[in-house]
Amino acid sequence: MGTNRRLVYSGERFRDFLAANHITYQEASNVLGIDKNTIGKAVRGGNLNTAILLKICNEYKLDLSDFFITVDDELPSGVNYGEEYSEQESPVSDDAGYAAEDEESYGAKISDKVLKELLYSKELEISRLRMLVKLYQERVDMLQQQLMNDSRE
C-alpha cells in the first residue's frame, strides 16, 4: 500500500469551490487578473505554475494542499487524477484543448463516482492523520519518560 503512493494535481476542489460560490470562469478570471483558459486549466488539472496557484489560494483563501491529492494502487483504475482530460471527458474544452466557458458544467451536481473518490481520499487523509497523532503521542511519551529518568539521576 505504501510503495506506490504519489502526489498528483487535482482541480476538483477548486471546481467545487467555484460551483458552490456560483463563480464563473470569467468572473474568476476578472478577479484574479488571469486568462479564463488558465482558470479552466486549474479546474481540470492542467499544468499551472506555482505563482498562479498561489494567486488563486490567496484570493479565495484556499489551501495550496487543496490542489493535490495522494493516490495509490487501491484507488479505482481508469480514474483521471490530474492528467489531462481527453476531449470526451472534459466538459469544458474546445477543439484546441483550451478551456471554454460552459455555464452548466461547473454548476452541475457532483457525480456519485467523484463523490465516492473524494470521500475515499478524505478517509485516507484522516487515517494518515490518526497514525501521525499516534506516532507523535508515542514520541511525546518517550521524551517525557527520558526527561523523568534524567531528572532522577
Side-chain angles (χ1 to χ4, degrees):
M1 180 173 151
T3 58
N4 292 325
R5 289 189 188 148
R6 60 189 173 111
L7 189 65
V8 294
Y9 178 88
S10 173
E12 290 176 16
R13 291 183 188 149
F14 184 51
R15 181 175 40 246
D16 294 344
F17 170 84
L18 292 176
N21 291 285
H22 307 289
I23 301 171
T24 66
Y25 290 15
Q26 187 60 55
E27 290 168 338
S29 170
N30 293 341
V31 167
L32 295 165
I34 57 179
D35 189 80
K36 179 177 72 172
N37 292 333
T38 304
I39 301 297
K41 287 170 83 174
V43 300
R44 71 176 197 276
N47 186 16
L48 295 177
N49 68 39
T50 308
I52 297 295
L53 288 175
L54 290 174
K55 186 177 252 192
I56 292 169
C57 290
N58 289 329
E59 180 63 36
Y60 291 117
K61 309 297 185 255
L62 300 172
D63 192 321
L64 189 60
S65 66
D66 288 342
F67 287 89
F68 299 92
I69 59 174
T70 303
V71 296
D72 58 36
D73 290 334
E74 293 183 6
L75 292 173
S77 61
V79 177
N80 185 333
Y81 290 101
E83 290 88 17
E84 292 293 326
Y85 285 95
S86 71
E87 287 183 33
Q88 294 170 337
E89 293 175 300
S90 177
V92 290
S93 67
D94 61 17
D95 292 338
Y98 296 104
E101 180 122 358
D102 183 353
E103 294 283 335
E104 296 177 24
S105 68
Y106 44 86
K109 203 174 159 186
I110 299 173
S111 73
D112 287 341
K113 181 179 179 182
V114 171
L115 184 59
K116 285 179 184 176
E117 292 164 5
L118 181 60
L119 290 173
Y120 177 78
S121 71
K122 289 300 174 191
E123 288 172 4
L124 283 176
E125 286 180 52
I126 290 169
S127 173
R128 290 180 185 129
L129 287 171
R130 284 183 177 144
M131 183 178 65
L132 283 172
V133 167
K134 182 180 176 184
L135 290 172
Y136 282 122
Q137 186 59 52
E138 289 173 359
R139 180 75 174 144
V140 166
D141 292 344
M142 183 182 74
L143 290 171
Q144 285 178 337
Q145 186 64 37
Q146 283 180 344
L147 185 60
M148 289 173 63
N149 289 341
D150 290 347
S151 66
R152 289 180 190 160
E153 294 175 357

